[in-house]
Amino acid sequence: MALFRRITPQRLADTQKTFPQISLILRQLSDASTDLKAVLAAKIPKEQERVKNFRKNYGNTKVGEVTVDMMYGGMRGIKGLVCETSVLDPDEGIRFRGLSIPECQKVLPKAPGGEEPLPEGLFWLLITGDVPTDAQVKALSKEWAERAELPSHVVQLLNNLPTSVHPMSQFASAVTVCNSESKFAKAYSNGVHKSKYWEYVYEDSMDLIAKLPVIAATIYRNTYKDGSGIGAIDTSKDWSHNFAMMLGFDNPEFIELLRLYLTIHTDHEGGNVSAHTVHLVGSALSDPYLSFAAGMCGLAGPLHGLANQEVLVWLQKMRQQVGDKASEEEIKEFIWKTLKSGQVVPGYGHAVLRKTDPRYTCQREFALKHLPEDTMFQLVSNIYKVVPPILTELGKVKNPWPNVDAHSGVLLQYYGLKEMNYYTVLFGVSRALGVLASLVWDRALGLPIERPKSMSTDGLMKMLKAK
Ligand code: CMX
């Protein structure tokens, strides 16, 4: 294995091309290796070949059609993107490389004594398609811890931002200026060959993922505490453990929650606003820092990631108006008031899902295990009974069931992370794992700049000979 580690990704890929018969041996080696880049380097040529052959044979085959309603309706249902890392089934929910959330909870490595999966394991699964071993996940935790240090100008920027700037704006700003460190941007300006793009995107992605908890914790400590107390990263601990400690939370149960939280928010296939934005901006060969920052500006919208903040604001308003021991009738009345004033019920509905989000269900199970008596949890449970029939009665809502954002805030509140404006930053830290894994594959597969065709209403009417 020591010998294998000295093989560079490029040498490994070249060897596989020249001697395909030893490919299997190399794959077995790479599967056991704790060097993620080498594992990827072994997989990429094969996947490139598979996609090339598929396109050669099926390139002109139709996969769907586009209606006028789809064009005006947020492109819902148009199959226009390829995303390798996860697929969202409307009834069953998300599958990460084919595995459901309960399956991931079962098979992904855990921290010693822990029960929840480690997000490092999910990242390995997303980017390679393989369930990692404990040793592979441990190596990833260590590698991220070692890459975590922030450039001083990023710290300076964060320390100089007024605390009135929303944490998501701070987050996107810090990630944007972190692109001074981009190995991809540097390699591109030095004229690197496009077959090597993925390697530099991979390096930037690993650096960025490693730095995100430090950026996020700095934002939290600066905005809500006295700015001190981030502390040093412990390279023997996992990514979530270090993040929790930097935030200032050492309760082992909270750390377990963070591991679950950072695992389930990673990826939701390719078309959601944050994932699609990262993919789109990355297609212009903007570096991973800029691409991810753009995606975070999308996640900060109230119909997307910010909904977890909105849920808490809405729950608190409800508590103020109807009290903690509200009857079902009083809750119903409050919900109708929300709807009649032209607002959405945050945390409910989805553009693709048509059943309760399994990300909601696993958080509910966590709450039933750890905080069954909590007043806010009980309120969330009561709302779960009341909202779906009301949204169904409205007649226009396609999915009356709760999504991930309906539950996450209540768990964070319970453990003392009460600053709801901050919640989308946690979502963003997790989302990096999915969208950056995808970005590496975008460049490995040589996907071109994205540029769909738009039409004007006049042009569309003329084309359809509409009156
Ligand atoms: N409350 C009230 N009305 C809702 C609703 C809700 N929770 N969900 C959908 N609707 C309404 C829509 O606003 C739309 O109304 P109009 O026709 O008057 O514009 C109608 O029902 C049809 O919408 P849809 O096809 O069911 O839903 P969309 O695919 O257009 O939108 C979503 C999906 C998530 C934006 C929407 O359900 C919503 O606004 N939910 C609340 C916000 C939320 O929880 N967002 C987080 C989603 C998960 C995530 O990305 O993090």
Side-chain angles (χ1 to χ4, degrees):
M1 202 52 57
L3 173 73
F4 175 74
R5 282 204 200 96
R6 286 203 296 273
I7 300 172
T8 65
Q10 191 54 49
R11 234 183 285 158
L12 189 59
D14 292 345
T15 313
Q16 277 200 84
K17 258 194 199 142
T18 324
F19 307 106
Q21 70 274 23
I22 67 160
S23 172
L24 183 69
I25 301 166
L26 284 174
R27 184 182 150 79
Q28 280 162 359
L29 271 175
S30 75
D31 281 353
S33 167
T34 55
D35 182 342
L36 178 54
K37 193 171 180 183
V39 172
L40 262 181
K43 283 177 183 289
I44 283 172
K46 266 190 241 153
E47 193 55 18
Q48 287 169 334
E49 201 57 25
R50 194 168 77 102
V51 172
K52 197 170 124 199
N53 287 334
F54 177 54
R55 289 186 63 181
K56 204 165 106 196
N57 294 325
Y58 291 90
N60 288 322
T61 310
K62 285 187 184 155
V63 291
E65 54 183 24
V66 179
T67 64
V68 172
D69 266 351
M70 285 168 159
M71 290 176 73
Y72 284 97
M75 300 196 281
R76 225 51 104 249
I78 295 180
K79 294 187 186 84
L81 290 166
V82 175
C83 172
E84 309 291 356
T85 47
S86 66
V87 175
L88 180 58
D89 180 89
D91 295 320
E92 206 188 33
I94 195 68
R95 277 188 179 269
F96 303 114
R97 292 281 188 173
L99 296 181
S100 67
I101 287 179
E103 285 164 354
C104 284
Q105 284 176 297
K106 217 175 275 168
V107 301
L108 290 180
K110 325 271 185 296
E115 290 183 355
E116 300 301 340
L118 290 166
E120 288 91 323
L122 193 70
F123 180 71
W124 190 290
L125 174 68
L126 291 174
I127 201 162
T128 66
D130 297 335
V131 173
T133 62
D134 285 346
Q136 287 169 329
V137 161
K138 211 161 187 275
L140 201 49
S141 300
K142 188 163 178 286
E143 189 168 351
W144 286 351
E146 285 165 357
R147 290 178 185 243
E149 199 181 335
L150 295 187
S152 59
H153 69 276
V154 175
V155 180
Q156 208 178 343
L157 171 97
L158 287 172
N159 291 348
N160 284 330
L161 283 174
T163 54
S164 57
V165 174
H166 192 281
M168 279 305 279
S169 309
Q170 297 191 42
F171 191 53
S173 307
V175 172
T176 302
V177 300
C178 223
N179 93 318
S180 54
E181 309 308 295
S182 173
K183 292 166 181 157
F184 175 79
K186 227 164 273 160
Y188 188 85
S189 77
N190 288 336
V192 67
H193 191 277
K194 60 185 175 184
S195 62
K196 288 181 183 285
Y197 285 173
W198 78 264
E199 291 189 37
Y200 294 95
V201 169
Y202 172 86
E203 289 298 334
D204 280 355
S205 298
M206 292 287 278
D207 283 342
L208 179 53
I209 290 169
K211 293 175 196 325
L212 286 176
V214 192
I215 292 176
T218 306
I219 294 169
Y220 183 74
R221 306 289 313 174
N222 279 350
T223 310
Y224 306 110
K225 309 290 171 190
D226 65 0
S228 65
I230 288 274
I233 297 245
D234 182 343
T235 55
S236 71
K237 294 285 195 263
D238 61 276
W239 193 58
S240 315
H241 183 282
N242 275 316
F243 189 13
M245 300 305 273
M246 287 188 287
L247 287 167
F249 293 81
D250 58 4
N251 178 346
E253 226 171 82
F254 174 81
I255 298 172
E256 275 288 277
L257 171 66
L258 201 56
R259 288 173 183 136
L260 177 67
Y261 184 106
L262 296 174
T263 297
I264 63 173
H265 287 78
T266 48
D267 211 32
H268 224 220
E269 72 172 32
N272 65 78
V273 170
S274 51
H276 189 184
T277 306
V278 176
H279 167 78
L280 169 69
V281 176
S283 83
L285 299 186
S286 305
D287 65 59
Y289 296 89
L290 297 179
S291 307
F292 181 69
M296 290 304 96
C297 292
L299 193 74
L303 295 188
H304 190 20
L306 202 79
N308 64 21
Q309 168 186 323
E310 297 293 291
V311 167
L312 254 288
V313 173
W314 183 74
L315 285 178
Q316 290 206 339
K317 225 189 273 172
M318 184 187 289
R319 283 178 84 182
Q320 270 165 15
Q321 289 191 22
V322 300
D324 279 343
K325 303 248 177 290
S327 67
E328 216 170 284
E329 276 317 303
E330 286 169 318
I331 295 177
K332 274 185 191 165
E333 208 177 301
F334 181 83
I335 292 163
W336 275 114
K337 216 160 98 188
T338 303
L339 292 169
K340 282 179 184 156
S341 63
Q343 292 161 42
V344 294
V345 174
Y348 279 75
H350 199 272
V352 178
L353 275 168
R354 294 296 174 255
K355 292 274 165 65
T356 296
D357 190 338
R359 299 172 300 174
Y360 175 95
T361 308
C362 74
Q363 292 184 95
R364 180 174 162 76
E365 280 161 7
F366 187 97
L368 284 168
K369 192 154 127 199
H370 296 287
L371 45 132
E373 305 303 332
D374 180 58
T375 313
M376 284 288 265
F377 169 56
Q378 286 177 356
L379 182 60
V380 166
S381 295
N382 288 337
I383 291 168
Y384 187 20
K385 286 184 222 147
V386 175
V387 170
I390 294 180
L391 290 183
T392 305
E393 200 181 319
L394 265 189
K396 62 177 182 178
V397 182
K398 293 196 190 65
N399 175 36
W401 301 104
N403 60 57
V404 66
D405 299 319
H407 216 304
S408 47
V410 168
L411 298 175
L412 298 169
Q413 290 274 313
Y414 177 78
Y415 291 105
L417 207 164
K418 290 187 184 284
E419 299 84 359
M420 51 196 97
N421 282 10
Y422 183 74
Y423 293 169
T424 314
V425 174
L426 295 179
F427 194 155
V429 171
S430 172
R431 185 48 55 105
L433 304 192
V435 298
L436 293 173
S438 276
L439 199 63
V440 173
W441 275 104
D442 289 349
R443 297 292 75 78
L445 295 177
L447 303 188
I449 188 163
E450 197 168 281
R451 205 330 185 162
K453 177 82 184 91
S454 66
M455 294 185 77
S456 66
T457 295
D458 280 347
L460 199 52
M461 285 178 164
K462 205 167 144 196
M463 180 180 140
L464 300 176
K465 297 188 175 54
K467 297 203 175 86

